[in-house]
Amino acid sequence: MPGQREAAAMLLPEDGPRDGGRRRPLWQRISADLAARVAEGEYGDGFPGEYELAETYGVSRGTIRNALRPLRETGSVTAQRGRKPRVVMGGHGSAFGPVSSLFASVQASGMTQRSIVLARRVVTDPATATLLSLPPTEKLLFLSRLRLADEEPLAVDNVWLPARRVAPLLEVDFADTALYKELRERCGITLDGGQEELRADTATAADAERLGCAVGAPLFRIQRIGYHQGTAIELRCSHILGDRYAVTATFGDGVPAARPAAET
């Protein structure tokens, strides 16, 4: 984000776009600039609040509110009472990457991210092994986490990985780190593709107990198989509270270049 002097220079009259021979209002120019920055993925560390934006652009909060209104109406930026505004990061192509990338998405929203490990053990699961194109008796590392955003439940995330390839993960504290980061740094595995299915569902009694929601509350259920160099490495099943998360996707040829894949 530019400093106040840089932002002010950017918005000098000679730099402002014109519409029908008349210069656009200042709030519209700020809104257009913010929309471009959101589209470019600039706010990966969290979208700034109104006070910060007012100081950065050297304008009143009223001007900033006007500038943010079209972004909020289109869903580019959302705000929840008591929380900083949250950028809803879109997907790329046909992938629902941001849904599974909970670690990065929560951080990008300006909220704190934390996980509670519910289970971490080596198991055999013939059905899961088959989905990963492994022998039925293959040992798997099973990791289950309750994902929190601002200390409030957001999702339950269950992951199965071939144990022989990810043994170092047994020693990792997953309270505040991303699985994909640890896979890359400790195991030399970077997921470079995947298949993902998203379904709308409602919370069961087990979901309600873990997520602190009512039975029947809306959920996203996502099943994902992640690949490394053409080999299936990860089966992930996520149950995400439907009223705390939104899914977006890009389409067409006119979208900006894709940002690097987020971590989860």
Side-chain angles (χ1 to χ4, degrees):
M1 191 72 182
Q4 183 169 334
R5 182 175 298 177
E6 181 182 348
M10 175 185 66
L11 295 171
L12 286 175
E14 59 265 33
D15 294 330
R18 294 180 181 272
D19 184 5
R22 304 182 66 178
R23 197 172 308 283
R24 290 188 297 173
L26 180 58
W27 71 264
Q28 288 187 359
R29 284 182 273 153
I30 295 175
S31 184
D33 182 65
L34 289 172
R37 293 174 185 276
V38 168
E40 293 168 1
E42 181 168 326
Y43 298 113
D45 294 329
F47 193 80
E50 290 180 1
Y51 282 110
E52 183 178 346
L53 289 172
E55 182 178 354
T56 297
Y57 284 94
V59 297
S60 69
R61 285 188 67 197
T63 299
I64 292 299
R65 289 194 190 100
N66 287 334
L68 291 176
R69 186 181 302 115
L71 302 182
R72 287 169 173 161
E73 289 176 350
T74 60
S76 297
V77 173
T78 65
Q80 294 177 326
R81 183 173 297 177
R83 296 193 177 94
K84 292 176 63 177
R86 176 167 63 90
V87 175
V88 182
M89 310 300 286
H92 301 290
S94 59
F96 289 106
V99 174
S100 293
S101 301
L102 291 175
F103 184 95
S105 295
V106 171
Q107 289 192 324
S109 75
M111 294 183 281
T112 58
Q113 190 283 155
R114 188 168 69 88
S115 295
I116 298 174
V117 175
L118 303 175
R120 176 171 44 183
R121 59 181 180 269
V122 175
V123 301
T124 55
D125 185 330
T128 298
T130 298
L131 290 174
L132 292 173
S133 300
L134 295 169
T137 57
E138 182 83 12
K139 291 183 178 181
L140 305 172
L141 172 61
F142 171 62
L143 174 65
S144 178
R145 292 170 290 171
L146 175 63
R147 315 298 293 271
L148 305 176
D150 277 354
E151 295 302 311
E152 294 292 331
L154 173 65
V156 172
D157 209 27
N158 299 320
V159 181
W160 293 261
L161 307 133
R164 58 185 170 82
R165 301 196 62 175
V166 299
L169 299 185
L170 288 167
E171 308 301 324
V172 175
D173 179 2
F174 280 103
D176 60 0
T177 190
L179 173 60
Y180 287 175
K181 173 180 180 292
E182 300 300 332
L183 265 177
R184 182 178 64 248
E185 295 182 356
R186 296 174 182 261
C187 307
I189 295 173
T190 299
L191 297 191
D192 50 21
Q195 297 174 337
E196 190 167 85
E197 178 184 83
L198 180 149
R199 291 181 180 272
D201 203 351
T202 56
T204 65
D207 294 321
E209 181 179 357
R210 289 186 169 183
L211 292 170
C213 64
V215 174
L219 293 181
F220 289 128
R221 296 197 192 276
I222 303 102
Q223 179 171 298
R224 179 178 193 170
I225 298 179
Y227 291 83
H228 169 65
Q229 299 179 354
T231 299
I233 292 293
E234 170 205 46
L235 173 66
R236 180 187 296 263
C237 296
S238 302
H239 306 167
I240 306 177
L241 284 171
D243 62 353
R244 296 208 64 198
Y245 211 86
V247 180
T248 63
T250 58
F251 61 92
D253 297 328
V255 297
R259 292 171 282 105
E263 295 183 340
T264 182

